[in-house]
Amino acid sequence: MQNTDVTGEELSANEKKVLIALQKLGGTGLFRDIVKTGGFKEENEAMNAVSWLRYKGMVTTKEEVKKLYSLGKEGEKLVEKGLPEKRALKYIIKNGGIITLTKLQETVTKDEMPIAVGWLKKRGWATIKRERDKVLLEVTPVGKKMADGETEDEKTLLFLKKHPGSTVDPKVIGLLKTRKNVVEEKDVVSLEVSLSEKGKQAVEKGLRIEEEITQLTSKIIKSGEWRRKKIRPYDINVFAPVISGGKPHPLVALRNRVREIFLSMGFEEIEGNYVESCFWNMDVLFIPQDHPAREMQDTLYCKKPKKIEVDKKLLNMIKRVHEDGGDTGSKGWNYSFSKKEAKRVLLRTHTTVNTIRYLYEHPEPPAKIFSIGKVFRRENLDATHLPEFYQIEGIIHEEGANFRQLIGVLKEFYRRMGFEKIRLRPAYFPYTEPSMEVEVFWNSSWMELGGSGIFRPEVTLPAGVKNPVLAWGLGLERLAMLKLGLNDIRSLYISDLQWLRDTPLL
Ligand code: PHE
């Protein structure tokens, strides 16, 4: 908190009024007394001033919840008529100090009877005696004395009649509360304000209250009033609330940015399903069925449905490609391809499944396609790994497409994302040749962002694709880490409001 040195100059007229009122009240006062003493017309003005003074460190405040009491409906009646037991007591004394219960009915109503008798006994003002078939009430010495005195609760009732909304001794209130509707209780928060050391100093230096202009209006300017009056200087160090409006989550914003870039480079967007068969996710991509990536510990398989049917002709064709290369000119992997394995159900492990399916559906060039979608892997969650993450997938299918072009497109994409320095390193994927890994230079080291390459004939020929297809699959969250300066990839999926608010728009 910045507290500017206080000379009185930075204080508004209302703030000064509060300080002066507090001085008059001896340094500490209830808010409502400050309003009165300070001569405030509006409570609001005083409250604003107190808030500012507190922010400036010139006053401290304490809130106190108080219970205030007033007379209830029955309470008003009691004040008028007196307590039933008191009336009863006086009546008994008037009639010689002992009367029958029946006679008591001459002075208290039927409803009041049990109250009167009960309290007479409770207070020890009278005793009850049985004589033959009569019940008698006899005054005690205490009762005699009390006839002309005032009990604490009587005093309180009278006091509340004169001063509704007061605090009262809790013991007496306890007694009164046992009678229905006699008192009404209200919780009131009262604010106590005290001058701080700094506030005291300011007051001691002397405060001059001058009428000043706090807000310029066209009227003040036109009338020339501004020439005659003091204009309050702005305090540029003053606290102002930060307004955080709604905005897309950083990852959503990044996804949109990636989308814009590919669209602007002439690509078209496609989508696909999360649940796929092994056939489309792996087999058509010439990933051998015993490839380590297919293991249970890497891929999430679904129990239900048990299988996804695959077109018979396609299945037979791919079986041959895997076993001996089929018509692709390849020798294949030389193992026995399982159709059952091909129909197994999984959560897609990469979005290459989207682009390969697209090629099967659109074997004619040219095509520039991209997709941004979630993929699922059986990965342990840590600072750089997520079991669910987004891939930025793309292909270029055209006559004469080549490796240099692939490098150029990737470089251009990252350049537009704000990364000038990327490098491509030889890598291996069963479905591309050549294959490359994309790395970007960030914070003095290289970080892996994804894979790319040119689809092998074993992948393209069965789809009826005769021209080269450039392909890539890049991580979105890794990119987000770099863009947002995160050390932990998991931050992207923790809804930390402060972080979300503080993160600038991409
Ligand atoms: N599918 C690969 C992955 O998930 C990336 C890739 C896509 C590699 C296309 C080459 C071609 O890592």
Side-chain angles (χ1 to χ4, degrees), residues 160-178:
L160 289 181
K161 172 85 186 166
K162 272 195 221 143
H163 309 280
S166 301
T167 53
V168 183
D169 178 3
K171 246 198 267 160
V172 181
I173 276 300
L175 274 182
L176 288 174
K177 269 163 89 183
T178 60

Side-chain angles (χ1 to χ4, degrees), residues 271-282 299-310 342-351 353-354 357 373-377 388:
E271 279 182 87
N273 304 319
Y274 288 167
V275 178
E276 289 280 1
S277 59
C278 280
F279 182 80
W280 285 106
N281 191 82
M282 324 246 200
T299 299
L300 289 155
Y301 291 95
C302 302
K303 277 195 185 137
K304 274 188 204 164
K306 266 213 173 70
K307 57 177 182 174
I308 291 179
E309 281 306 332
V310 180
K343 294 174 191 172
R344 271 180 91 186
V345 185
L346 48 69
L347 292 179
R348 71 179 180 205
T349 61
H350 55 185
T351 40
V353 61
N354 292 346
R357 201 200 295 275
K374 242 185 196 175
V375 300
F376 307 85
R377 288 184 196 173
E388 257 185 68

Side-chain angles (χ1 to χ4, degrees), residues 349-350 352 377 391 393 429 431-432 450-453 455 471-474:
T349 61
H350 55 185
T352 318
R377 288 184 196 173
Q391 278 191 327
E393 193 81 29
F429 300 101
Y431 35 97
T432 48
S452 67
F455 279 147
W472 57 88
L474 316 164

